[in-house]
Amino acid sequence: MIDLSTDYLGLKLKNPLVPSASPLSRDLDTALRLEDAGAAALVMYSLFEEELQAEDAMLDRFLTHADLGHGEADSFLPDHGEFRGGLERYLSHLHQLKRRLEIPVVASLNGVSPSGWVALGRELELAGADALELNVYHVAADMQQSGHAVEARYLELLADLRRVVSLPIVMKLSPYFSSLPNFVKQLQTAGAQGVALFNRFYQPDIDLDELRMTDQLHLSSADEALLRIRWISILHGRTQLTLAATGGVHSESEALKLLLAGADVVHLASCLLAHGPGKLTDILAGLQHWMEEREYESVAQMKGSMSQQNLPDPSVVARASYLRVLDSFTAKPGVWS
């Protein structure tokens, strides 16, 4: 029997497939279906500080200032009743997931202020989360801000949280750092337990008919796994942090490649949104079948066997591959005739 277990942020998981932050975790029944389908852990949908701030402002406007300009309404202010704010709803759902699921539950936090990150992170720990994923969605568009300042922003956030939170912390990173391995090393020193590679920044589009910028959700494609394969292959064996691959996994093929490169866990979102929890079962079965055919005894045996440090030619994931790929191109017959 193949041992599919893996380590994730100090947690022992039954296999490396983990649904990442997505709307799927908002529904308890769906979360239970994901567990039944084979999910080894669950990352909750993200808690956004901006949404909590907007909700608080709206509540303040309609409850506290409802009498402005209408003195006679002073005694007829709306009753607060049983209204539950966004944070209370998130914490309640976290409690519910922890009570009903047997797998670990990871809370996902997306803050905008130092105090918000710290206060909300503390609340999530007290609510019983098994780990905390920091979804730092920061687009570095300020021409006056250096790369060093961008990195410092992440490190200061991590240090602030580490002082008040004892949970394992995983940093969800974008691929846009100038020296990713060095930055990962700094995150390890600052107290992170893992990194998730990579956050998918949704890109604006232009409507040519209306001449306006538009936002549209695009699910990932399998090609996106290639970027994750390269960097996880480079990082494996060079850091003590858990390496989570997120983005581009649509079949057992991508999952296997990322594990061979050195990922400890493989996150799933787009394929589950498109095909439902049963897709996780299919990927898990395909992964196990492939390993059986090649007589692997465990995920641990396979993991990282094709990382850069274990390759006969490490340049395959570096500059030399660029030259080989370009030289290998041949045009289709008749295209240039």
Side-chain angles (χ1 to χ4, degrees):
M1 186 70 176
I2 294 177
D3 180 5
L4 296 175
S5 66
T6 189
D7 293 318
Y8 174 53
L9 305 173
L11 304 168
K12 190 74 169 181
L13 302 188
K14 60 185 178 182
N15 68 63
L17 301 186
V18 176
S20 59
S22 81
L24 292 171
S25 60
R26 291 181 180 271
D27 181 72
L28 175 61
D29 288 339
T30 303
L32 289 167
R33 288 177 62 197
L34 288 169
E35 181 178 47
D36 290 341
L42 177 69
V43 182
M44 287 183 67
Y45 62 94
S46 288
L47 177 64
F48 286 88
E49 185 185 351
E50 298 107 313
E51 292 183 353
L52 302 183
Q53 291 174 341
E55 191 175 71
D56 288 344
M58 181 181 70
L59 192 64
D60 180 67
R61 176 186 174 191
F62 285 102
L63 295 182
T64 309
H65 303 295
D67 63 329
L68 289 179
H70 303 279
E72 69 276 12
D74 192 29
S75 60
F76 294 94
L77 291 178
D79 184 5
H80 203 289
E82 295 299 318
F83 177 80
R84 296 197 306 167
L87 176 59
E88 188 178 356
R89 294 193 301 273
Y90 192 95
L91 296 178
S92 175
H93 192 53
L94 172 56
H95 278 299
Q96 195 175 36
L97 290 172
K98 284 293 299 175
R99 187 169 62 250
R100 297 291 302 277
L101 298 177
E102 296 182 6
I103 58 177
V105 178
V106 179
S108 176
L109 176 59
N110 192 316
V112 290
S113 68
S115 60
W117 281 105
V118 170
L120 294 173
R122 182 61 177 155
E123 290 281 1
L124 295 172
E125 178 175 44
L126 292 173
D130 293 290
L132 180 59
E133 179 182 89
L134 303 187
N135 183 5
V136 189
Y137 198 102
H138 174 61
V139 179
D142 185 352
M143 295 184 70
Q144 305 305 316
Q145 188 177 45
S146 68
H148 176 75
V150 172
E151 292 183 359
R153 179 190 184 108
Y154 284 73
L155 294 167
E156 289 168 8
L157 158 64
L158 176 59
D160 289 344
L161 267 169
R162 190 76 287 166
R163 280 191 285 270
V164 299
V165 171
S166 59
L167 282 177
I169 295 177
V170 55
M171 301 290 289
K172 195 170 187 178
L173 303 179
S174 79
Y176 303 124
F177 293 95
S178 58
S179 179
L180 184 66
N182 178 264
F183 184 50
V184 168
K185 180 181 178 181
Q186 292 183 70
L187 291 172
Q188 178 178 311
T189 301
Q193 277 75 39
V195 288
L197 309 175
F198 292 107
N199 203 341
R200 297 181 69 239
F201 283 5
Y202 297 107
Q203 310 301 338
D205 201 352
I206 295 177
D207 186 321
L208 293 175
D209 294 323
E210 300 291 335
L211 288 181
R212 61 184 179 87
M213 300 294 288
T214 63
D215 292 312
Q216 187 175 356
L217 173 65
H218 294 282
L219 298 181
S220 72
S221 67
D223 288 343
E224 294 182 42
L226 299 176
L227 181 66
R228 283 81 180 159
I229 290 170
R230 162 172 279 177
W231 284 107
I232 286 174
S233 174
I234 290 171
L235 289 170
H236 177 79
R238 295 187 170 95
T239 178
Q240 297 175 10
L241 299 183
T242 290
L243 298 177
T246 180
V249 179
H250 288 261
S251 71
E252 67 272 14
S253 295
E254 295 83 45
L256 284 162
K257 291 173 185 178
L258 287 161
L259 291 169
L260 287 165
D264 295 293
V265 295
V266 176
H267 284 313
L268 310 171
S270 291
C271 67
L272 300 179
L273 289 168
H275 303 288
K279 186 63 177 178
L280 195 152
T281 305
D282 294 341
I283 293 174
L284 188 59
L287 187 152
Q288 187 164 353
H289 177 71
W290 186 92
M291 293 177 65
E292 288 173 349
E293 281 193 333
R294 286 152 185 81
E295 299 183 349
Y296 281 101
E297 296 181 358
S298 66
V299 164
Q301 177 191 3
M302 176 179 67
K303 187 168 58 181
S305 58
M306 295 196 69
S307 64
Q308 187 183 43
Q309 68 174 9
N310 289 326
L311 292 175
D313 180 8
S315 68
V316 169
V317 294
R319 180 176 172 82
S321 65
Y322 175 65
L323 302 176
R324 286 193 291 268
V325 169
L326 289 179
D327 288 341
S328 69
F329 176 79
T330 55
K332 294 181 180 179
V335 170
W336 295 102
S337 59

